[in-house]
Coordinates of all heavy atoms in Angstrom, one line a residue:
M1 N 0.8 -1.2 0.0 CA 0.0 0.0 0.0 C 0.9 1.2 0.0 O 1.8 1.4 0.8 CB -0.9 0.0 1.2 CG -1.7 1.2 1.4 SD -3.0 1.1 2.6 CE -2.3 0.4 4.1
T2 N 0.7 2.1 -0.9 CA 1.4 3.4 -1.0 C 0.8 4.4 -0.1 O -0.4 4.2 0.4 CB 1.4 3.9 -2.4 OG1 0.1 4.3 -2.7 CG2 1.8 2.9 -3.5
D3 N 1.5 5.4 0.2 CA 0.9 6.5 1.0 C -0.3 7.1 0.4 O -1.2 7.6 1.2 CB 2.0 7.7 1.2 CG 3.0 7.2 2.2 OD1 2.9 6.2 2.9 OD2 4.1 7.9 2.3
W4 N -0.5 7.1 -0.9 CA -1.6 7.6 -1.5 C -2.8 6.7 -1.5 O -3.9 7.0 -2.0 CB -1.3 8.1 -3.0 CG -0.4 9.3 -3.0 CD1 0.9 9.3 -3.3 CD2 -0.7 10.6 -2.5 NE1 1.5 10.5 -3.1 CE2 0.5 11.3 -2.6 CE3 -1.8 11.2 -1.9 CZ2 0.6 12.7 -2.3 CZ3 -1.8 12.5 -1.6 CH2 -0.6 13.3 -1.7
D5 N -2.6 5.5 -0.9 CA -3.7 4.6 -0.6 C -3.9 4.4 0.9 O -4.7 3.6 1.3 CB -3.5 3.3 -1.3 CG -4.8 2.4 -1.4 OD1 -5.8 3.0 -1.7 OD2 -4.7 1.2 -1.1
N6 N -3.2 5.2 1.6 CA -3.3 5.2 3.1 C -4.2 6.3 3.5 O -3.8 7.5 3.3 CB -1.9 5.3 3.7 CG -1.9 5.4 5.2 OD1 -2.4 6.3 5.8 ND2 -1.4 4.3 5.8
K7 N -5.3 6.1 4.1 CA -6.3 7.1 4.4 C -5.7 8.2 5.4 O -6.0 9.4 5.1 CB -7.6 6.5 5.1 CG -8.7 7.5 5.3 CD -10.0 6.9 5.7 CE -11.0 7.9 5.9 NZ -12.4 7.3 6.2
E8 N -5.1 7.8 6.4 CA -4.5 8.8 7.3 C -3.5 9.7 6.7 O -3.6 11.0 6.8 CB -3.9 8.1 8.6 CG -4.9 7.4 9.5 CD -5.5 6.1 8.9 OE1 -4.7 5.5 8.1 OE2 -6.6 5.8 9.2
A9 N -2.6 9.1 5.9 CA -1.6 9.9 5.2 C -2.3 10.9 4.2 O -1.9 12.0 4.0 CB -0.6 9.1 4.5
C10 N -3.2 10.3 3.4 CA -3.9 11.1 2.4 C -4.7 12.2 3.1 O -4.8 13.3 2.5 CB -4.8 10.2 1.6 SG -5.3 10.9 0.0
L11 N -5.4 12.0 4.2 CA -6.2 13.0 4.9 C -5.2 14.1 5.3 O -5.6 15.3 5.2 CB -6.9 12.4 6.1 CG -8.2 11.8 5.9 CD1 -8.7 11.1 7.2 CD2 -9.2 12.9 5.6
A12 N -4.1 13.8 5.8 CA -3.1 14.8 6.2 C -2.7 15.7 5.0 O -2.6 16.9 5.1 CB -1.9 14.2 6.8
A13 N -2.4 15.0 3.9 CA -2.0 15.7 2.7 C -3.1 16.6 2.1 O -2.9 17.8 1.9 CB -1.6 14.7 1.6
V14 N -4.3 16.1 2.0 CA -5.4 17.0 1.4 C -5.9 18.1 2.4 O -6.4 19.1 1.9 CB -6.6 16.1 0.9 CG1 -6.1 15.2 -0.2 CG2 -7.3 15.4 2.0
S15 N -5.7 17.8 3.6 CA -6.0 18.9 4.6 C -5.1 20.1 4.5 O -5.4 21.2 4.8 CB -6.0 18.3 6.1 OG -7.0 17.4 6.2
N16 N -3.8 19.8 4.1 CA -2.8 20.8 3.9 C -3.0 21.4 2.5 O -2.7 22.6 2.3 CB -1.4 20.2 4.1 CG -0.4 21.2 4.0 OD1 -0.5 22.3 4.7 ND2 0.7 21.0 3.3
D17 N -3.3 20.6 1.5 CA -3.4 21.1 0.1 C -4.5 20.2 -0.6 O -4.3 19.1 -0.9 CB -2.1 21.0 -0.6 CG -2.2 21.4 -2.1 OD1 -3.3 21.8 -2.6 OD2 -1.1 21.3 -2.8
G18 N -5.7 20.8 -0.7 CA -6.8 20.1 -1.2 C -6.5 19.5 -2.6 O -7.0 18.4 -2.9
L19 N -5.7 20.1 -3.4 CA -5.5 19.6 -4.8 C -4.6 18.3 -4.8 O -4.5 17.7 -5.8 CB -4.9 20.7 -5.6 CG -5.8 21.9 -6.0 CD1 -5.1 22.9 -6.8 CD2 -7.1 21.4 -6.6
A20 N -4.1 18.0 -3.6 CA -3.3 16.8 -3.5 C -4.2 15.6 -3.7 O -3.7 14.5 -4.0 CB -2.6 16.7 -2.2
L21 N -5.5 15.8 -3.7 CA -6.4 14.7 -4.0 C -6.1 14.0 -5.3 O -6.4 12.9 -5.5 CB -7.9 15.2 -3.9 CG -9.0 14.1 -4.1 CD1 -8.9 13.1 -3.0 CD2 -10.3 14.8 -4.1
R22 N -5.6 14.8 -6.3 CA -5.3 14.2 -7.6 C -4.3 13.0 -7.5 O -4.3 12.2 -8.4 CB -4.7 15.3 -8.5 CG -3.4 15.8 -8.2 CD -2.9 16.8 -9.2 NE -1.7 17.5 -8.8 CZ -1.7 18.7 -8.2 NH1 -2.9 19.4 -8.1 NH2 -0.6 19.3 -7.9
F23 N -3.5 13.0 -6.4 CA -2.6 11.8 -6.3 C -3.2 10.7 -5.5 O -2.5 9.6 -5.5 CB -1.3 12.3 -5.5 CG -0.6 13.4 -6.2 CD1 -0.5 14.7 -5.7 CD2 0.0 13.2 -7.5 CE1 0.1 15.7 -6.3 CE2 0.6 14.3 -8.1 CZ 0.7 15.5 -7.6
A24 N -4.3 10.9 -4.9 CA -4.9 9.8 -4.1 C -5.3 8.6 -5.0 O -5.6 8.7 -6.1 CB -6.1 10.3 -3.4
S25 N -5.3 7.5 -4.3 CA -5.8 6.3 -5.1 C -7.3 6.4 -5.4 O -8.0 7.2 -4.8 CB -5.6 5.0 -4.2 OG -6.5 5.1 -3.0
T26 N -7.7 5.6 -6.3 CA -9.1 5.6 -6.8 C -10.0 5.3 -5.6 O -11.1 6.0 -5.5 CB -9.3 4.5 -7.9 OG1 -8.4 4.8 -9.0 CG2 -10.7 4.5 -8.4
R27 N -9.6 4.4 -4.7 CA -10.4 4.1 -3.5 C -10.6 5.3 -2.7 O -11.7 5.6 -2.2 CB -9.7 3.0 -2.8 CG -10.4 2.6 -1.5 CD -9.6 1.5 -0.8 NE -8.3 2.0 -0.2 CZ -8.3 2.5 1.1 NH1 -9.3 2.6 1.8 NH2 -7.1 2.9 1.5
L28 N -9.5 6.1 -2.4 CA -9.6 7.3 -1.6 C -10.3 8.5 -2.3 O -10.9 9.4 -1.6 CB -8.3 7.6 -1.0 CG -7.7 6.6 0.0 CD1 -6.4 7.0 0.5 CD2 -8.7 6.4 1.1
R29 N -10.3 8.5 -3.6 CA -11.0 9.6 -4.3 C -12.5 9.3 -4.2 O -13.3 10.2 -4.5 CB -10.7 9.6 -5.8 CG -9.3 10.2 -6.0 CD -9.1 10.3 -7.5 NE -7.7 10.6 -7.8 CZ -7.3 11.0 -9.0 NH1 -8.2 11.2 -10.0 NH2 -6.0 11.3 -9.2
D30 N -12.9 8.1 -3.7 CA -14.3 7.8 -3.5 C -14.6 7.7 -2.0 O -15.7 7.2 -1.6 CB -14.6 6.4 -4.1 CG -16.1 6.1 -4.2 OD1 -16.8 7.0 -4.6 OD2 -16.5 5.0 -3.8
D31 N -13.7 8.2 -1.1 CA -13.9 8.2 0.3 C -14.5 9.6 0.7 O -13.8 10.6 0.5 CB -12.6 7.9 1.0 CG -12.7 7.8 2.5 OD1 -12.9 8.9 3.1 OD2 -12.7 6.7 3.0
K32 N -15.6 9.6 1.3 CA -16.3 10.9 1.6 C -15.4 11.7 2.6 O -15.3 12.9 2.4 CB -17.7 10.7 2.2 CG -18.4 11.9 2.5 CD -19.8 11.6 3.0 CE -20.5 12.9 3.3 NZ -21.9 12.7 3.8
D33 N -14.8 11.1 3.6 CA -14.0 11.9 4.6 C -12.8 12.5 3.9 O -12.5 13.7 4.1 CB -13.4 11.0 5.7 CG -14.5 10.4 6.5 OD1 -15.6 11.0 6.7 OD2 -14.3 9.3 7.0
V34 N -12.1 11.8 3.0 CA -11.0 12.4 2.3 C -11.4 13.5 1.3 O -10.8 14.6 1.3 CB -10.2 11.2 1.5 CG1 -9.2 11.8 0.6 CG2 -9.6 10.2 2.5
C35 N -12.4 13.3 0.6 CA -12.9 14.3 -0.3 C -13.5 15.5 0.4 O -13.2 16.6 -0.1 CB -13.9 13.7 -1.3 SG -13.2 12.6 -2.5
L36 N -14.1 15.3 1.5 CA -14.6 16.5 2.2 C -13.5 17.3 2.7 O -13.5 18.6 2.7 CB -15.5 16.0 3.4 CG -17.0 16.0 3.2 CD1 -17.7 15.4 4.4 CD2 -17.6 17.3 2.8
A37 N -12.4 16.7 3.2 CA -11.2 17.4 3.7 C -10.6 18.1 2.6 O -10.2 19.3 2.7 CB -10.2 16.4 4.4
A38 N -10.5 17.5 1.4 CA -9.9 18.1 0.2 C -10.7 19.4 -0.2 O -10.1 20.4 -0.4 CB -9.7 17.1 -0.9
V39 N -12.0 19.2 -0.5 CA -12.8 20.3 -1.0 C -13.0 21.4 0.0 O -13.1 22.6 -0.4 CB -14.1 19.8 -1.6 CG1 -13.9 18.9 -2.7 CG2 -15.1 19.3 -0.6
S40 N -12.9 21.1 1.3 CA -13.0 22.1 2.3 C -11.8 23.0 2.3 O -11.8 24.2 2.6 CB -13.2 21.5 3.7 OG -14.4 20.8 3.7
N41 N -10.6 22.4 2.0 CA -9.4 23.1 1.8 C -9.3 23.9 0.5 O -8.9 25.1 0.5 CB -8.2 22.2 1.9 CG -6.9 22.9 1.8 OD1 -6.4 23.1 0.7 ND2 -6.3 23.3 2.9
D42 N -9.7 23.3 -0.5 CA -9.7 23.9 -1.9 C -10.8 23.3 -2.7 O -10.7 22.1 -3.1 CB -8.4 23.7 -2.5 CG -8.2 24.5 -3.8 OD1 -9.2 24.8 -4.5 OD2 -7.1 24.9 -4.1
G43 N -11.9 24.0 -3.0 CA -13.0 23.5 -3.7 C -12.7 22.9 -5.0 O -13.4 22.1 -5.5
R44 N -11.6 23.4 -5.6 CA -11.2 22.8 -7.0 C -10.9 21.4 -6.9 O -10.9 20.7 -7.9 CB -10.0 23.6 -7.5 CG -10.3 25.1 -7.8 CD -9.1 25.8 -8.2 NE -8.1 25.8 -7.1 CZ -6.9 26.3 -7.2 NH1 -6.4 26.8 -8.3 NH2 -6.0 26.2 -6.2
A45 N -10.6 20.8 -5.7 CA -10.4 19.4 -5.6 C -11.6 18.5 -6.0 O -11.4 17.4 -6.3 CB -10.0 19.1 -4.1
L46 N -12.8 19.1 -6.1 CA -14.0 18.4 -6.5 C -13.7 17.7 -7.9 O -14.2 16.7 -8.2 CB -15.2 19.3 -6.6 CG -16.5 18.6 -6.9 CD1 -16.8 17.6 -5.9 CD2 -17.6 19.7 -7.0
F47 N -12.9 18.4 -8.7 CA -12.6 17.8 -10.0 C -12.0 16.4 -9.9 O -12.3 15.6 -10.8 CB -11.6 18.8 -10.7 CG -11.1 18.3 -12.1 CD1 -11.9 18.5 -13.2 CD2 -9.9 17.6 -12.2 CE1 -11.5 18.0 -14.4 CE2 -9.5 17.1 -13.5 CZ -10.3 17.3 -14.6
Y48 N -11.3 16.1 -8.9 CA -10.6 14.8 -8.7 C -11.4 13.8 -7.9 O -11.1 12.7 -7.9 CB -9.3 15.0 -8.0 CG -8.4 15.9 -8.8 CD1 -8.1 17.2 -8.4 CD2 -7.8 15.5 -10.0 CE1 -7.3 18.1 -9.2 CE2 -6.9 16.3 -10.8 CZ -6.7 17.6 -10.3 OH -5.9 18.4 -11.1
A49 N -12.6 14.2 -7.4 CA -13.4 13.3 -6.6 C -14.1 12.3 -7.6 O -14.2 12.5 -8.8 CB -14.5 14.1 -5.9
S50 N -14.5 11.2 -7.0 CA -15.2 10.2 -7.8 C -16.5 10.7 -8.3 O -17.1 11.6 -7.7 CB -15.4 8.9 -6.9 OG -16.4 9.2 -6.0
T51 N -17.0 10.0 -9.3 CA -18.3 10.4 -9.9 C -19.4 10.3 -8.8 O -20.3 11.1 -8.7 CB -18.7 9.5 -11.0 OG1 -17.6 9.6 -12.0 CG2 -20.0 9.8 -11.7
R52 N -19.3 9.3 -8.0 CA -20.3 9.1 -6.9 C -20.3 10.3 -6.0 O -21.3 10.8 -5.5 CB -20.0 7.8 -6.1 CG -21.0 7.5 -5.0 CD -20.6 6.2 -4.2 NE -19.4 6.4 -3.4 CZ -19.5 6.8 -2.1 NH1 -20.6 7.1 -1.6 NH2 -18.4 6.9 -1.4
L53 N -19.1 10.8 -5.6 CA -19.0 11.9 -4.6 C -19.3 13.3 -5.3 O -19.7 14.2 -4.6 CB -17.7 11.9 -3.9 CG -17.5 10.8 -2.9 CD1 -16.2 10.8 -2.3 CD2 -18.7 10.7 -1.9
K54 N -19.2 13.3 -6.6 CA -19.7 14.5 -7.3 C -21.2 14.6 -7.3 O -21.7 15.6 -7.7 CB -19.1 14.5 -8.8 CG -17.6 14.8 -8.8 CD -17.1 14.8 -10.3 CE -15.6 15.0 -10.3 NZ -15.1 14.8 -11.7
D55 N -21.8 13.6 -6.9 CA -23.3 13.5 -6.7 C -23.7 13.5 -5.2 O -24.8 13.3 -4.9 CB -23.9 12.3 -7.4 CG -25.4 12.3 -7.6 OD1 -25.9 13.4 -8.0 OD2 -26.0 11.3 -7.2
N56 N -22.7 13.8 -4.4 CA -23.0 13.9 -2.9 C -23.2 15.3 -2.5 O -22.2 16.1 -2.7 CB -21.8 13.2 -2.2 CG -22.1 13.2 -0.7 OD1 -21.9 14.3 0.0 ND2 -22.4 12.1 -0.1
K57 N -24.3 15.6 -2.0 CA -24.6 17.0 -1.7 C -23.7 17.6 -0.7 O -23.2 18.8 -0.8 CB -26.1 17.2 -1.2 CG -26.5 18.6 -1.1 CD -28.0 18.6 -0.9 CE -28.5 20.1 -0.8 NZ -30.0 20.1 -0.6
D58 N -23.3 16.9 0.3 CA -22.4 17.4 1.4 C -21.1 17.8 0.8 O -20.5 18.9 1.1 CB -22.2 16.4 2.5 CG -23.4 16.1 3.3 OD1 -24.3 17.0 3.4 OD2 -23.5 15.0 3.9
V59 N -20.5 16.9 0.0 CA -19.2 17.2 -0.6 C -19.3 18.4 -1.6 O -18.4 19.3 -1.5 CB -18.7 15.9 -1.4 CG1 -17.4 16.2 -2.2 CG2 -18.4 14.8 -0.4
C60 N -20.3 18.4 -2.4 CA -20.4 19.5 -3.4 C -20.7 20.8 -2.7 O -20.2 21.8 -3.1 CB -21.4 19.1 -4.4 SG -20.9 17.8 -5.5
L61 N -21.5 20.9 -1.7 CA -21.8 22.1 -1.0 C -20.5 22.6 -0.3 O -20.2 23.8 -0.4 CB -22.9 21.9 0.1 CG -24.3 22.0 -0.4 CD1 -25.3 21.6 0.8 CD2 -24.6 23.4 -0.9
A62 N -19.7 21.7 0.2 CA -18.4 22.2 0.8 C -17.5 22.8 -0.3 O -16.8 23.8 -0.1 CB -17.7 21.0 1.5
A63 N -17.5 22.1 -1.4 CA -16.7 22.6 -2.6 C -17.1 24.0 -3.0 O -16.3 24.9 -3.2 CB -16.7 21.6 -3.7
V64 N -18.4 24.2 -3.3 CA -18.9 25.4 -3.8 C -18.8 26.5 -2.8 O -18.8 27.7 -3.2 CB -20.3 25.4 -4.5 CG1 -20.2 24.4 -5.7 CG2 -21.4 25.0 -3.6
S65 N -18.9 26.2 -1.6 CA -18.7 27.2 -0.5 C -17.3 27.7 -0.4 O -17.1 28.8 0.0 CB -19.1 26.6 0.9 OG -20.5 26.2 0.9
S66 N -16.4 26.9 -0.9 CA -15.0 27.4 -1.0 C -14.7 28.1 -2.3 O -14.1 29.2 -2.3 CB -14.1 26.1 -0.9 OG -12.7 26.5 -1.2
K67 N -15.2 27.6 -3.4 CA -15.0 28.1 -4.8 C -16.2 27.9 -5.6 O -16.5 26.8 -6.0 CB -13.8 27.5 -5.5 CG -12.5 27.4 -4.7 CD -11.6 28.6 -5.2 CE -10.2 28.3 -4.7 NZ -9.7 29.5 -4.0
G68 N -17.0 29.0 -5.7 CA -18.3 28.9 -6.4 C -18.2 28.3 -7.8 O -19.1 27.5 -8.2
H69 N -17.1 28.6 -8.5 CA -17.1 28.1 -9.9 C -16.9 26.6 -10.1 O -17.1 26.1 -11.2 CB -15.9 28.9 -10.7 CG -14.6 28.4 -10.2 ND1 -13.9 29.0 -9.2 CD2 -13.7 27.5 -10.8 CE1 -12.7 28.4 -9.0 NE2 -12.6 27.6 -10.0
V70 N -16.6 25.9 -9.0 CA -16.5 24.5 -9.2 C -17.9 23.8 -9.3 O -18.0 22.6 -9.4 CB -15.7 23.8 -8.0 CG1 -14.3 24.4 -8.0 CG2 -16.4 23.9 -6.7
F71 N -18.9 24.6 -9.2 CA -20.3 24.1 -9.4 C -20.4 23.3 -10.7 O -21.1 22.3 -10.8 CB -21.2 25.3 -9.5 CG -22.6 25.0 -9.8 CD1 -23.5 24.6 -8.8 CD2 -23.2 25.3 -11.0 CE1 -24.8 24.3 -9.0 CE2 -24.6 25.0 -11.3 CZ -25.3 24.6 -10.2
K72 N -19.5 23.6 -11.7 CA -19.6 22.9 -13.0 C -19.1 21.5 -12.9 O -19.4 20.6 -13.7 CB -18.7 23.6 -14.0 CG -17.2 23.7 -13.6 CD -16.4 24.6 -14.6 CE -15.0 24.8 -14.1 NZ -14.3 25.8 -14.8
F73 N -18.4 21.1 -11.8 CA -18.0 19.7 -11.6 C -19.0 18.8 -10.9 O -18.8 17.6 -10.8 CB -16.6 19.7 -10.8 CG -15.5 20.4 -11.5 CD1 -14.7 21.3 -10.8 CD2 -15.2 20.2 -12.8 CE1 -13.7 22.0 -11.4 CE2 -14.2 20.9 -13.5 CZ -13.4 21.8 -12.8
A74 N -20.0 19.4 -10.3 CA -21.1 18.7 -9.6 C -21.9 17.9 -10.7 O -21.9 18.2 -11.9 CB -22.0 19.7 -8.9
S75 N -22.6 16.9 -10.2 CA -23.4 16.1 -11.0 C -24.6 16.9 -11.6 O -24.9 18.0 -11.0 CB -24.0 14.9 -10.2 OG -25.0 15.4 -9.3
E76 N -25.1 16.4 -12.6 CA -26.3 17.1 -13.2 C -27.5 17.2 -12.3 O -28.2 18.2 -12.2 CB -26.7 16.4 -14.5 CG -25.7 16.5 -15.6 CD -25.4 17.9 -16.0 OE1 -26.3 18.7 -16.2 OE2 -24.2 18.2 -16.2
R77 N -27.7 16.2 -11.4 CA -28.7 16.2 -10.4 C -28.5 17.4 -9.5 O -29.5 18.1 -9.2 CB -28.8 14.9 -9.7 CG -29.9 14.8 -8.6 CD -29.8 13.5 -7.9 NE -28.6 13.4 -7.0 CZ -28.6 13.9 -5.7 NH1 -29.7 14.5 -5.3 NH2 -27.5 13.8 -5.0
L78 N -27.3 17.5 -9.0 CA -27.0 18.6 -8.0 C -27.0 20.0 -8.7 O -27.3 21.0 -8.0 CB -25.7 18.3 -7.3 CG -25.8 17.2 -6.3 CD1 -24.5 17.0 -5.6 CD2 -26.9 17.4 -5.3
K79 N -26.8 20.0 -9.9 CA -26.9 21.3 -10.6 C -28.3 21.9 -10.6 O -28.5 23.1 -10.8 CB -26.3 21.2 -12.1 CG -24.8 21.1 -12.1 CD -24.3 21.0 -13.5 CE -22.8 20.7 -13.5 NZ -22.3 20.4 -14.9
D80 N -29.3 21.0 -10.4 CA -30.7 21.4 -10.4 C -31.1 21.6 -8.9 O -32.3 21.9 -8.7 CB -31.6 20.3 -11.0 CG -31.5 20.3 -12.5 OD1 -31.1 21.4 -13.1 OD2 -31.8 19.3 -13.1
D81 N -30.2 21.5 -7.9 CA -30.6 21.6 -6.5 C -30.5 23.1 -6.1 O -29.5 23.7 -6.3 CB -29.6 20.8 -5.7 CG -30.0 20.8 -4.2 OD1 -29.5 21.7 -3.6 OD2 -30.7 19.9 -3.8
K82 N -31.6 23.5 -5.5 CA -31.7 24.9 -5.1 C -30.6 25.3 -4.1 O -30.0 26.4 -4.3 CB -33.1 25.2 -4.5 CG -33.3 26.6 -4.1 CD -34.7 26.8 -3.4 CE -34.9 28.3 -3.0 NZ -36.2 28.5 -2.3
D83 N -30.4 24.5 -3.1 CA -29.3 24.8 -2.1 C -27.9 25.0 -2.8 O -27.1 25.9 -2.5 CB -29.2 23.8 -1.0 CG -30.5 23.7 -0.2 OD1 -31.2 24.7 -0.1 OD2 -30.9 22.6 0.3
M84 N -27.7 24.1 -3.7 CA -26.4 24.1 -4.4 C -26.2 25.4 -5.2 O -25.2 26.0 -5.2 CB -26.3 22.9 -5.4 CG -25.8 21.6 -4.7 SD -24.1 21.7 -4.3 CE -23.3 21.8 -5.8
C85 N -27.3 25.7 -6.0 CA -27.2 26.9 -6.8 C -27.0 28.1 -6.0 O -26.2 29.0 -6.3 CB -28.5 27.0 -7.6 SG -28.7 25.7 -8.9
L86 N -27.8 28.2 -4.9 CA -27.6 29.4 -4.0 C -26.2 29.5 -3.4 O -25.7 30.6 -3.3 CB -28.7 29.4 -2.9 CG -30.1 29.7 -3.4 CD1 -31.1 29.5 -2.2 CD2 -30.2 31.1 -3.9
A87 N -25.7 28.4 -3.0 CA -24.3 28.4 -2.4 C -23.3 28.8 -3.4 O -22.4 29.6 -3.1 CB -24.0 27.0 -1.8
A88 N -23.4 28.3 -4.6 CA -22.5 28.6 -5.6 C -22.6 30.1 -6.1 O -21.5 30.8 -6.1 CB -22.7 27.8 -6.9
V89 N -23.8 30.6 -6.2 CA -24.0 32.0 -6.7 C -23.6 33.0 -5.6 O -23.0 34.0 -5.9 CB -25.4 32.2 -7.1 CG1 -25.7 33.7 -7.3 CG2 -25.7 31.4 -8.4
S90 N -23.8 32.6 -4.3 CA -23.4 33.5 -3.2 C -21.9 33.6 -3.1 O -21.4 34.6 -2.7 CB -24.0 33.1 -1.9 OG -23.5 31.9 -1.5
K91 N -21.2 32.6 -3.6 CA -19.7 32.7 -3.5 C -19.2 33.3 -4.8 O -18.1 34.0 -4.7 CB -19.2 31.2 -3.4 CG -17.7 31.2 -3.0 CD -17.4 31.7 -1.7 CE -16.0 31.7 -1.3 NZ -15.6 32.3 -0.1
D92 N -19.8 33.1 -5.9 CA -19.3 33.6 -7.2 C -20.5 34.0 -8.0 O -21.1 33.1 -8.6 CB -18.4 32.6 -7.9 CG -17.8 33.1 -9.2 OD1 -18.3 34.1 -9.7 OD2 -16.9 32.3 -9.7
G93 N -20.9 35.2 -8.1 CA -22.0 35.7 -8.8 C -22.0 35.3 -10.3 O -23.1 35.3 -10.9
W94 N -20.9 35.0 -10.9 CA -20.8 34.7 -12.3 C -21.2 33.3 -12.6 O -21.5 32.9 -13.7 CB -19.4 34.9 -12.8 CG -19.0 36.3 -12.9 CD1 -18.2 37.0 -12.0 CD2 -19.3 37.3 -13.9 NE1 -18.1 38.3 -12.3 CE2 -18.8 38.5 -13.5 CE3 -20.1 37.2 -15.0 CZ2 -18.9 39.6 -14.3 CZ3 -20.2 38.3 -15.8 CH2 -19.7 39.5 -15.4
V95 N -21.4 32.5 -11.5 CA -21.8 31.1 -11.7 C -23.2 31.1 -12.3 O -23.5 30.3 -13.2 CB -21.8 30.3 -10.4 CG1 -22.4 28.9 -10.6 CG2 -20.4 30.1 -9.9

């Protein structure tokens, strides 16, 4: 197991730099705790999250609360969600 497949090591890395999620294993890109830590640090990390987590409202709300423009990486279902839209627009009016 590499460090990028070790949950504790990966959590530490993404908590320091959310974009480090791009190096995480596929398994950890699908881990809600890891992705929440990453997008809370830098919403742009949503790009690297699994498809399943791009459809998770908690993860996506945390991401758009950090960087509104990452709304584009959310699932189509969440792009129709009122809370998601409001959170994204309140952070970045151009969304």
Side-chain angles (χ1 to χ4, degrees):
M1 176 169 46
T2 67
D3 284 345
W4 292 110
D5 194 43
N6 177 294
K7 185 172 180 176
E8 292 74 28
C10 198
L11 271 170
V14 300
S15 294
N16 187 46
D17 178 359
L19 294 179
L21 184 61
R22 70 179 167 260
F23 300 115
S25 67
T26 302
R27 178 180 71 87
L28 292 178
R29 287 183 190 199
D30 192 48
D31 184 285
K32 185 176 178 182
D33 296 331
V34 172
C35 286
L36 268 174
V39 300
S40 294
N41 178 274
D42 189 329
R44 296 174 298 171
L46 184 60
F47 178 80
Y48 300 106
S50 69
T51 301
R52 181 180 74 87
L53 291 179
K54 288 178 182 175
D55 191 50
N56 181 285
K57 190 171 180 176
D58 295 333
V59 172
C60 289
L61 276 174
V64 299
S65 295
S66 169
K67 304 262 191 232
H69 70 275
V70 301
F71 180 76
K72 63 186 171 194
F73 300 130
S75 70
E76 292 303 313
R77 180 184 72 86
L78 289 179
K79 287 178 184 173
D80 287 336
D81 183 272
K82 181 181 177 181
D83 297 330
M84 278 288 296
C85 292
L86 288 173
V89 170
S90 68
K91 191 65 180 175
D92 183 347
W94 290 100
V95 171

